[in-house]
Amino acid sequence: MYKYDSYDQAMVDARVAEFRDQVRRRLDGSLAEEQFRPLRLMNGLYLQLHAYMLRVAVPYGTLNSAQMTMLGDIADKYDRGYGHFTTRQNIQYNWIKLEEAPDILADLAKVEMHAIQTSGNCIRNTTSDQYAGAIADEVVDPRPYAELIRQWSTFHPEFSFLPRKFKMAVIASDTDRAAMRLHDIGIQIVRNDAGELGAAFYVGGGMGRTPMIAPCINAFVPIDQMITYSEACLRVYNRHGRRDNKYKARIKILVHELGKDEYTRQVEAEFAHLRTQNIEPPLAELERIKAQFADPPFEIALDETVDRSDPDFAVWLDNNVQVHKAPGYAIVTISLKPVGGIPGDASADQIRLMARLAKRYSFDELRVTHAQNIVLPHVRKADLHAVWQQLDEAGLGTPNLDKIGDIIACPGLDYCSLANARSIPVAQKISERFAGREQEIGELKLKISGCINACGHHHAGHIGILGVDRKGVENYQLLLGGSEGADTSLGTITGPGFNEEGIVDAVEKATSVYLANRQDGERFLDTYRRIGMAPFKDAIYAKDAV
């Protein structure tokens, strides 16, 4: 994984000192809140319903055991003993005191971490495939390219005050595990027929008030021009993006209103100009970065057999363990979704345990997933049972990856000042309602947002739930048919909304329709696409017989 050089460390340390002075001036009244707000946001500090919230960057979801341990220690020292892992592969702390925020950033800097550009109208944390470097279906490891984007975009003078926040994702597989087409810019690393490496650019995706799927505007940009092409995409957006209406300020609106072809024409013209300016980082810099993502020293001729005699362990194996590219190894996903738990939350002790497991069993490496789970990417098959035992004892062994209990949920009205409804209690009740039935139901991705901003990705759920405010009362809309993978689609609202108990019942009715109609091997999404909305809607809104 990437290691800071002296320039990286000096930059982060300077930001800590700068923010410490800004906080001092806010506390003594020298800075008014309206002056301080953009400064704190650029350092990941939000003012939520009850306290400040700090969002810490985890670039492309990769971190080591020392960094993970620090995240646990921060949870104990500065918060209430837990952290919340997010859909942008970051971590948030919900109970931060303003006067302590600079100390947190200083602690993060000790382990090569920061909160830079985790908020504000800038290029946010670039996300990637949580299995990068471990899965066999990728063209290359996409993380060096995500790191190059991080270095290019951090403190970029032209893109620090964009019309709106900007999110990028980089993958290198036809299996999209990062919701790439639902980003402002999604990049897929590909090879052409000649075997040359390039980048396919998808621009103008996003969720929120107006969800859109990004179209491909260029199927092959030579890899040594990826940053220049990214800059061209952003320059056209920065030039024409709406600054007079925040609801129309995202790049998806610009691409939609200009049209894909006209937007692409302008990007290509800007790209041609920028190629004369020599702004692409030297190839030597990319090679320097790539060297830091070399494979760990995998052992050879390892035993491939795994003892499945423990039935609980066998269920976990079948659900939460994926095939690794190296013989004798496996990819382990740690579920942060226990039955009745808060999706994405982990206690300080759990965070430190995951750090210890990574150091002992996974070449000192962890990944945060956009589905709010944690991955140990390189575990010997011979160690899987020992890993599972320790996870299970700590409440981290739930075997529900991509099942109905593996719910994505935003913090909702329990914490967020933008939310209209609570997400957490709904997630907990659904988890409890379906406990013990997840293996019967199979793959079913359920996502919950507490407002139209869609931080819970409800548009992309096989079943999605959106919390809204209806005349001062929390109301929940049900959506069906969303997907975030290579077959990206947006969910459709079934009809009128429900109260908290009603939405849980509606999810159960929708699931019953699926179980009654599925054919062999079908996921919920497959059945929905085959039979359509009507049978689901009929069951969900049917009146009980008198």
Side-chain angles (χ1 to χ4, degrees):
M1 59 182 290
Y2 183 75
K3 298 291 293 179
Y4 278 14
D5 59 18
S6 59
Y7 179 83
D8 293 312
Q9 191 64 53
M11 181 176 66
V12 171
D13 290 342
R15 172 49 70 96
V16 173
E18 178 186 62
F19 189 60
R20 189 179 296 279
D21 181 63
Q22 292 165 350
V23 169
R24 177 189 61 77
R25 287 186 286 144
R26 176 70 188 104
L27 290 171
D28 70 18
S30 301
L31 276 179
E33 172 57 23
E34 59 269 21
Q35 296 169 309
F36 181 61
R37 183 175 182 273
L39 303 176
R40 62 171 169 79
L41 288 176
M42 289 295 280
N43 288 279
L45 193 65
Y46 288 74
L47 184 57
Q48 299 282 65
L49 283 176
H50 313 295
Y52 284 95
M53 178 272 281
L54 180 68
R55 179 180 296 147
V56 176
V58 184
Y60 35 89
T62 297
L63 69 169
N64 62 29
S65 62
Q67 293 169 329
M68 192 71 159
T69 298
M70 179 61 78
L71 296 181
D73 292 346
I74 287 171
D76 266 343
K77 186 176 180 181
Y78 300 104
D79 201 278
R80 296 187 175 181
Y82 69 94
H84 176 74
F85 291 93
T86 79
T87 55
R88 290 213 63 71
Q89 300 180 307
N90 294 321
I91 186 171
Q92 295 178 179
Y93 299 101
N94 291 312
W95 299 96
I96 299 303
K97 297 176 182 177
L98 176 58
E99 60 270 24
E100 293 181 338
D103 294 332
I104 302 175
L105 297 186
D107 284 349
L108 289 169
K110 294 174 186 175
V111 292
E112 302 182 3
M113 297 187 77
H114 60 77
I116 295 167
Q117 293 182 198
T118 56
S119 183
N121 293 338
C122 56
I123 300 172
R124 302 281 186 91
N125 189 47
T126 298
T127 58
S128 190
D129 187 340
Q130 68 268 19
Y131 300 156
I135 199 77
D137 66 5
E138 62 186 8
V139 173
V140 292
D141 187 336
R143 293 176 300 160
Y145 305 94
E147 171 59 27
L148 193 66
I149 289 171
R150 184 192 71 82
Q151 295 189 21
W152 159 74
S153 63
T154 302
F155 300 140
H156 194 299
E158 190 173 347
F159 306 140
S160 292
F161 296 95
L162 292 165
R164 199 73 172 86
K165 58 187 176 181
F166 204 90
K167 300 177 181 179
M168 299 179 67
V170 184
I171 65 172
S173 168
D174 288 336
T175 303
D176 181 4
R177 288 174 284 263
M180 182 266 296
R181 294 188 67 191
L182 294 170
H183 283 73
D184 297 289
I185 293 180
I187 296 173
Q188 180 180 353
I189 309 298
V190 295
R191 289 193 187 276
N192 62 14
D193 292 340
E196 299 166 324
L197 208 60
F201 272 75
Y202 294 79
V203 182
M207 288 180 269
R209 187 175 299 271
T210 311
M212 294 184 183
I213 299 171
C216 182
I217 69 164
N218 193 323
F220 190 86
V221 176
I223 202 65
D224 61 355
Q225 298 169 19
M226 180 189 73
I227 294 298
T228 304
Y229 202 85
S230 298
E231 182 132 351
C233 293
L234 273 140
R235 278 193 167 195
V236 173
Y237 169 53
N238 207 21
R239 184 178 302 143
H240 298 301
R242 297 280 295 271
R243 286 181 161 84
D244 62 330
N245 185 334
K246 70 177 183 178
Y247 301 116
K248 297 184 178 181
R250 297 295 291 270
I251 194 173
K252 62 187 177 182
I253 303 298
L254 177 66
V255 174
H256 176 74
E257 292 186 348
L258 284 179
K260 172 194 166 184
D261 292 343
E262 175 57 20
Y263 173 76
T264 303
R265 185 195 68 77
Q266 293 194 33
V267 168
E268 294 292 338
E270 187 65 34
F271 178 53
H273 165 67
L274 289 174
R275 288 181 64 188
T276 70
Q277 305 301 303
N278 296 317
I279 69 166
E280 191 73 27
L283 187 60
E285 174 60 14
L286 177 59
E287 293 303 315
R288 182 186 75 86
I289 294 170
K290 287 169 65 176
Q292 299 196 43
F293 290 91
D295 284 344
F298 296 127
E299 299 176 49
I300 59 174
L302 289 176
D303 188 355
E304 288 281 334
T305 60
V306 178
D307 183 354
R308 297 172 55 90
S309 59
D310 183 329
D312 293 334
F313 173 57
V315 171
W316 179 80
L317 279 175
D318 292 339
N319 281 267
N320 288 40
V321 177
Q322 283 71 46
V323 176
H324 197 282
K325 68 179 183 181
Y329 287 86
I331 304 169
V332 171
T333 298
I334 303 170
S335 173
L336 300 185
K337 321 287 179 60
V339 174
I342 299 175
D345 275 15
S347 71
D349 287 341
Q350 289 175 326
I351 292 171
R352 286 187 288 258
L353 169 65
M354 291 187 283
R356 292 195 297 272
L357 293 176
K359 188 170 184 178
R360 181 173 179 182
Y361 297 109
S362 187
F363 293 99
D364 200 32
E365 191 173 325
L366 307 100
R367 311 283 175 77
V368 184
T369 83
H370 89 279
Q372 301 175 288
N373 292 315
I374 303 296
V375 167
L376 300 175
H378 313 297
V379 179
R380 293 192 315 165
K381 289 184 177 179
D383 293 328
L384 286 171
H385 191 266
V387 169
W388 169 74
Q389 283 183 312
Q390 294 176 70
L391 291 173
D392 195 48
E393 290 173 3
L396 295 169
T398 309
N400 62 357
L401 182 63
D402 292 336
K403 303 297 192 295
I404 195 169
D406 185 18
I407 299 167
I408 288 179
C410 69
L413 196 56
D414 284 302
Y415 296 101
C416 182
S417 57
L418 300 177
N420 302 122
R422 294 171 297 163
S423 302
I424 292 171
V426 173
Q428 292 172 310
K429 289 180 179 179
I430 291 173
S431 170
E432 290 165 349
R433 177 75 63 92
F434 288 94
R437 298 182 57 198
E438 293 178 333
Q439 308 311 316
E440 169 203 2
I441 294 168
E443 181 180 322
L444 199 169
K445 298 182 180 182
L446 193 148
K447 309 178 191 297
I448 308 172
S449 299
C451 79
I452 199 66
N453 286 318
C455 294
H457 295 190
H458 65 276
H459 296 295
H462 297 175
I463 295 178
I465 296 172
L466 169 63
V468 298
D469 182 330
R470 178 162 294 177
K471 297 180 180 180
V473 177
E474 292 171 90
N475 188 264
Y476 297 91
Q477 296 177 347
L478 187 70
L479 297 84
L480 302 178
S483 175
E484 62 192 7
D487 57 348
T488 303
S489 58
L490 300 173
T492 301
I493 296 175
T494 58
F498 305 87
N499 62 19
E500 190 173 299
E501 293 298 330
I503 192 64
V504 179
D505 292 339
V507 169
E508 183 161 30
K509 291 174 183 177
T511 305
S512 296
V513 172
Y514 156 60
L515 293 174
N517 288 274
R518 71 176 172 184
Q519 297 178 352
D520 289 346
E522 280 191 334
R523 306 168 296 168
F524 179 95
L525 183 63
D526 301 323
T527 300
Y528 171 82
R529 287 174 172 173
R530 178 172 56 81
I531 69 176
M533 172 68 82
F536 292 93
K537 193 169 183 177
D538 289 346
I540 291 166
Y541 294 101
K543 300 294 184 183
D544 294 331
V546 178

